[in-house]
Amino acid sequence: MNAKDLAVLNNEKRKQLNEHNRNYYEDMLVYIRSHLLLSEQQSEELLMELLDHLLEAQKHGKSAEDVFGKDPKAYCDELIGQLPKEKRRNIYAFIGYLMIQLFALITLVTGAVELVAELFTDVDDTVYLGKEFVLFVIDFAVILLVVAIIVLWIRKSTFRDDSNTFNNKVKTFLVVWFVFFIVFGMFILMERLVPEFGYRIEAGGMVRILFGLFVLAMTWLLNKKFRITK
């Protein structure tokens, strides 16, 4: 079974755990999956093995602590140290795939916004390819940084005492909105700071939408053929 099929099966089999064991195991699952540079296939196989082991123990009246101990983080760290890293070519292919998808989505959104704006006012359809390329690289780098920060935050918050769940939810909400406004502000700032340069073309809202849909279709076909996202 590939990683995606294992993840789906894992979701189904976890329902057989009681609430305590499920909470314990899902913390382990989130923690292991948050190590994005590990082999996805090997990680999902390990998680399935741990789940099967816990389900078998549960049938005999044992808890997750009886099976994995009272320090699940240390147990997971020991297992993670034995897992192989994802192949570099797979990482590069996945990052390239995300870049193309992001480019298509940005093209779709800007095209839709421009198409609506054209109904009410005159819109300049001029696009400077040099500026657009620089903005795209900056946007992608910012998004990667945000994703890395979120993953690290999730990793550190796993196995945390949730005795004050309400406060944790409020804190999470505030952090998410703070990050959103910072990122949004950076996008607007970069749009103003980067000068117009490079080859100039005319691309209206409908042209951008059609091109974005075409790129998305191409990435879907490539992913279906080469299973970039497993």
Side-chain angles (χ1 to χ4, degrees):
M1 298 178 70
N2 60 47
K4 185 176 292 186
D5 293 335
L6 284 170
V8 172
L9 181 59
N10 192 304
N11 291 338
E12 289 299 318
K13 295 184 72 171
R14 282 208 310 275
K15 297 175 182 178
Q16 301 175 40
L17 294 172
N18 59 46
E19 183 177 0
H20 174 77
N21 287 343
R22 184 168 60 251
N23 291 336
Y24 185 107
Y25 174 78
E26 286 180 349
D27 277 346
M28 296 175 67
L29 180 145
V30 170
Y31 186 74
I32 291 175
R33 284 181 177 173
S34 70
H35 290 73
L36 302 181
L37 296 182
L38 295 176
S39 167
E40 184 182 11
Q41 181 69 30
Q42 296 292 326
S43 296
E44 291 302 327
E45 289 177 359
L46 171 64
L47 288 169
M48 183 58 66
E49 183 179 337
L50 295 175
L51 178 57
D52 288 337
H53 191 35
L54 181 55
L55 284 171
E56 184 63 28
Q58 181 176 277
K59 292 179 182 178
H60 297 86
K62 295 183 178 180
S63 68
E65 287 85 356
D66 295 329
V67 180
F68 304 121
K70 295 184 178 180
D71 190 353
K73 182 179 182 299
Y75 184 81
C76 288
D77 285 336
E78 184 178 348
L79 295 176
I80 288 170
Q82 302 172 15
L83 288 175
K85 302 292 184 181
E86 187 67 74
K87 294 179 180 178
R88 287 189 178 182
R89 64 182 182 183
N90 292 340
I91 295 175
Y92 295 151
F94 184 66
I95 291 176
Y97 173 80
L98 291 181
M99 290 183 71
I100 297 173
Q101 285 239 312
L102 177 63
F103 170 74
L105 291 174
I106 290 175
T107 304
L108 278 172
V109 171
T110 55
V113 171
E114 186 169 323
L115 197 62
V116 173
E118 288 173 352
L119 298 176
F120 304 98
T121 185
D122 293 330
V123 177
D124 185 6
D125 294 335
T126 305
V127 176
Y128 293 88
L129 296 184
K131 177 178 181 177
E132 293 300 320
F133 176 76
V134 171
L135 287 175
F136 172 73
V137 172
I138 294 174
D139 290 349
F140 187 74
V142 170
I143 291 173
L144 279 183
L145 177 62
V146 170
V147 170
I149 292 173
I150 291 174
V151 169
L152 288 175
W153 180 72
I154 290 174
R155 189 182 301 173
K156 288 185 177 298
S157 64
T158 310
F159 307 122
R160 186 175 57 188
D161 180 19
D162 289 326
S163 56
N164 200 336
T165 306
F166 178 76
N167 284 345
N168 287 334
K169 288 183 177 180
V170 171
K171 187 183 298 184
T172 299
F173 176 81
L174 293 176
V175 168
V176 169
W177 275 103
F178 175 76
V179 171
F180 172 79
F181 281 116
I182 290 295
V183 172
F184 187 71
M186 288 184 66
F187 288 164
I188 295 177
L189 182 62
M190 288 302 103
E191 176 70 32
R192 294 179 179 275
L193 290 180
V194 178
E196 296 175 340
F197 71 98
Y199 189 75
R200 187 178 67 180
I201 63 173
E202 301 294 325
M206 184 56 67
V207 173
R208 296 190 189 200
I209 290 175
L210 292 175
F211 184 69
L213 290 174
F214 171 77
V215 174
L216 279 180
M218 290 300 99
T219 57
W220 180 80
L221 291 173
L222 286 173
N223 190 37
K224 186 176 181 180
K225 182 176 182 179
F226 298 107
R227 299 186 67 86
I228 299 172
T229 59
K230 308 301 182 185

